Amino acid sequence: MEIDPFIFRFSIFILSIFIGYYVVWSVTPSLHTPLMSVTNAISSVIIVGAIIAALSGNEDVIFSSSSIYGFLAIILAAVNIFGGFLVTQRMLAMYKKKKKDK
Amino acid sequence: MSANVSATLYLISGVLFILALRGLSSPETSRQGNLFGIIGMIIAITVTFLSVGNFTSGFIYVLIFLAIGGTIGAFIAYKIPMTAMPELVAGFHSLVGLAAVFVAISAFINPEAFNLGTPGNIKLASLIEMAIGAAVGAITFSGSVIAFLKLQGIMSGAPITFKGQHALNALILISIVILTFYLCSTQSSNLFWILIAVSFLIGFLIIIPIGGADMPVVISMLNSYSGWAAAGIGFTLENTALIITGALVGSSGAILSYIMCKGMNRSFFNVILGGFGATTGTTGDKNKEQRPVKSGNADDAAFLMKNASSVIIVPGYGMAVAQAQHALREMVDTLKKSGIKVSYAIHPVAGRMPGHMNVLLAEANVPYDEVFELEEINNNFANADVAFVIGANDVTNPVAKTDPQSPIYGMPVLDVEKCKSVLFVKRSLSPGYAGIDNDLFYRENTLMLFADAKKMTEDITKNL
């Protein structure tokens, strides 16, 4: 009997939860705020769905009832992607070690 | 682009996201990790463009909308003050949630674009995934909006409770399950809209009874939800990058919520059911006598610190409110010049989100190797001369160790009282979030400094 492709995706999902579990426990507590902002940014990979939705219309009707939601989602996700990664970068740049010459 | 190639590339971007989180295990590798995350995102977006392959005028609009959103995001990222980070993160969560809802709606209206069947005849599994993605996304959105309003101070941080609240919430949650079931059997679009509306409502109702200082748990929880919503949509789209990311973010938020709850010695359900701080505080009021308090001024504080050989700073949310981190760093610099050893002690739930204090201290150029977590530094208080408590309260209350009747009994606290002397910067003697008196105020070795945190710190620096 053939295995439903859903099972493969479900396996990836479950294994990723475990990866997430171990990876996140190894994050140092002082970086928990950047962790939240970067997870914010990467969860905006949902933009993939937004792009598919936005391009679902044809040449004549670019803004159909379904693609309009895609375009809205693109804006939201883009705010998050740029905002999330940049603010994380800004925060991480501030974490400095003690200077030796001090 | 063939489906196999694009699936492989999505997997690669998923792996890059894992590496992005892995990088955060130390500040040195974190910047590289962030870069991995950015590369992963670029790959995912490029692959999507290539696999849709629709480079018509619609594509131009996609780029325009991407640029609009990107500009807004970049602008916010550069302008936002570090003290507003909890609000920002809550706001960003709401956007992920809403984006998930929009994608689900689009997929429901036009399933052909996603290869999910035809309208009114969507594959059962896809419909379930879509419903979960939409419902969780909607909850994330409205919940985050409330969290944002509470953190921003537009809405009062006090818990909003009413009779039958939990029964109502339970009823709505059950109705979501029933709605999903009927949606799958009837494919009715009306049910789909009702499902989304009800999910918005429950997100709102879940967060309003939770008080301001429990926000670290709320933000982490919503972080987790935004991940599960993304994973739900990932199953609908059969996209590995989204599934991996959703699982990562989902477990990340769950772990952070757990750490925050442990930092308060409360169960997750205790926090979620809410009302904390509104109902407690009756035990202390009954036998409230006027106990003597020693209070001093900046001069006294400067004198004590000048004669100390080691000082431990305990920052809390009050430091963020008063924006006192830079003034604090200047004070510490002056102390260090006189050869005094200074370190910082951070309680897990200090501030309004996980790691809040660390970011503020980093912003003020405090080297991260002078900043310690509770377990690392708690034994050092006994050997330190001065503890300088600035804007923290409940996390220093010795009652948590001694009084089983106290609502915060069992909560891990910083052993500040073991220091030779304690300087406590606070505006008044009012109790903290837990609604109980801090025993530390009345100790023999405590000197209260009644003032605004920033002003007091600056005055001390002048007197040093």
Side-chain angles (χ1 to χ4, degrees), chain B residues 205-227:
Chain B
L205 287 172
I206 286 177
I207 308 302
I208 54 164
I210 305 178
D214 280 340
M215 282 302 141
V217 180
V218 171
I219 297 188
S220 317
M221 182 183 83
L222 292 166
N223 186 238
S224 181
Y225 286 1
S226 70

Side-chain angles (χ1 to χ4, degrees), chain B residues 23 47 51-53 59 93 212 228 232 236 285 294 297 334 377 391 398 456:
Chain B
V47 171
S51 54
V52 176
F59 178 70
H93 285 153
W228 304 132
T236 316
D285 289 341
K294 279 198 290 181
N297 56 30
T334 322
I377 200 166
M456 177 53 76

